Amino acid sequence: MQLQQLQYFVAVAETRHFTRAAEVVHVAQPSLSQQIKALERELGADLFLRARGNITLTDAGEALLPLARRILADADTARHEVLELVQLRRGRVRLGATPSLCTGLLPDVLRAFHDRYPGIQLMIEEGGSHDLVRQLARGALDLALVVLPLPTASPSLTTVELLREDLVVVSSPESHRPGGGRRAVRVADLEGERLVMFRHGYDLRELTVAACRAEGFEPDFAVEGGEMDAVLGFVRAGLGMAVVPRMVAARSGRGLRVTPLVRPGLHRTIALAHRSDVAPPRAARELQRMLLER
């Protein structure tokens, strides 16, 4: 079994078309087809059901696909690791983070990393913790900043706690003050308030909704379904209030009123995660060090 054969197999599986797959991997279509047939002979099973205009995976193909993607991702990581020069003049880091961390935590750290290692390519993937954990597991990311506890236990990942961040309530300065104008409010004070809520799968959505239910009420949504920038924009427009990380509120404070929550309040724990079975590439380890020492 050759890496090239797995690459061709994944291309066909993703395009569901031999000619388009050949274009993706820059090879003649007959050569691609021959390599796929050779792979099927070696495995002793057909990987595709071939019908005119309709290419689908067999059960064997479905079983091979996630493994092939992981093998190719690991091979790609190894290739970049070997190509890195002694003083990190070349390489890449694939970092996943939730959108709020991309807004609050990462800009300063990434700027410092880029100033020190300008030749390292930074590839940032935004997503919820569930999606980032899945991408780490299949080798599509080197590191990820995730919110603990993880959506599902994953013994294949190593996590190191990075910080514990308070959440605050943001509202428009032109709207009424939450909690009757007190300097700090309780979660219970959000009952009856119109909230701007993040999309499903967003860590902050689950945390806020759970906190409201723990106080015995269902939150009332004025708008829901946005990412961080959209939520902050809707709050500035006076559509409602939102619960966001303190770092995000501090960076995006213009046009926002920030009200802390009464202790113990709400907080979230941020961790740095990577696969346990594969050491991150050298450049990723350096970024990991800078994040942990921030």
Side-chain angles (χ1 to χ4, degrees), residues 8 11-34 36 48 50-55:
Y8 293 172
V12 176
E14 291 178 346
T15 62
R16 301 301 169 103
H17 196 282
F18 277 80
T19 301
R20 285 198 292 270
E23 293 171 354
V24 168
V25 296
H26 308 293
V27 69
Q29 190 270 330
S31 297
L32 180 140
S33 296
Q34 290 173 6
I36 294 292
F48 298 102
R50 299 165 173 84
R52 184 175 296 275
N54 185 25
I55 303 296

Side-chain angles (χ1 to χ4, degrees), residues 89-288:
R89 296 173 184 163
R90 185 183 306 163
R92 70 167 184 191
V93 178
R94 302 170 301 171
L95 174 67
T98 63
S100 60
L101 291 172
C102 288
T103 302
L105 170 67
L106 283 182
D108 290 341
V109 176
L110 294 186
R111 181 182 60 194
F113 182 86
H114 179 71
D115 288 346
R116 186 175 299 179
Y117 306 110
I120 301 297
Q121 180 186 14
L122 292 167
M123 303 174 67
I124 308 301
E125 179 72 27
E126 288 187 84
S129 293
H130 182 81
D131 293 335
L132 296 177
V133 165
R134 187 167 59 245
Q135 295 211 57
L136 273 175
R138 69 181 183 89
L141 295 173
D142 302 312
L143 303 170
L145 290 164
V146 296
V147 178
L148 296 180
L150 294 177
T152 55
S154 181
S156 63
L157 296 182
T158 296
T159 59
V160 180
E161 187 172 325
L162 191 62
L163 62 95
R164 180 179 164 120
E165 183 179 18
D166 291 335
L167 303 183
V168 297
V169 178
V170 291
S171 56
S172 168
E174 299 175 1
S175 65
H176 70 277
R177 291 179 175 273
R182 291 193 299 273
R183 297 185 63 178
V185 297
R186 302 166 300 152
V187 173
D189 293 325
L190 298 179
E191 184 173 8
E193 297 287 1
R194 301 279 280 165
L195 299 182
V196 178
M197 185 50 65
F198 300 95
R199 62 171 171 79
H200 284 283
Y202 215 89
D203 301 291
L204 288 169
R205 179 191 180 102
E206 276 71 37
L207 195 155
T208 303
V209 171
C212 292
R213 288 174 177 167
E215 293 293 331
F217 71 94
E218 285 292 323
D220 183 13
F221 301 155
V223 184
E224 62 175 315
E227 300 280 350
M228 180 60 70
D229 287 344
V231 165
L232 295 175
F234 295 150
V235 171
R236 288 191 186 96
L239 292 172
M241 304 175 183
V243 177
V244 304
R246 184 182 293 277
M247 266 192 299
V248 171
R251 279 188 167 272
S252 310
R254 195 168 69 179
L256 293 172
R257 178 196 295 124
V258 180
T259 306
L261 288 162
V262 175
R263 293 186 178 279
L266 295 177
H267 67 272
R268 62 177 186 168
T269 302
I270 308 301
L272 193 58
H274 63 83
R275 278 174 53 185
S276 303
D277 57 340
V278 178
R282 185 177 173 192
R285 295 197 299 272
E286 180 61 16
L287 177 58
Q288 181 181 37

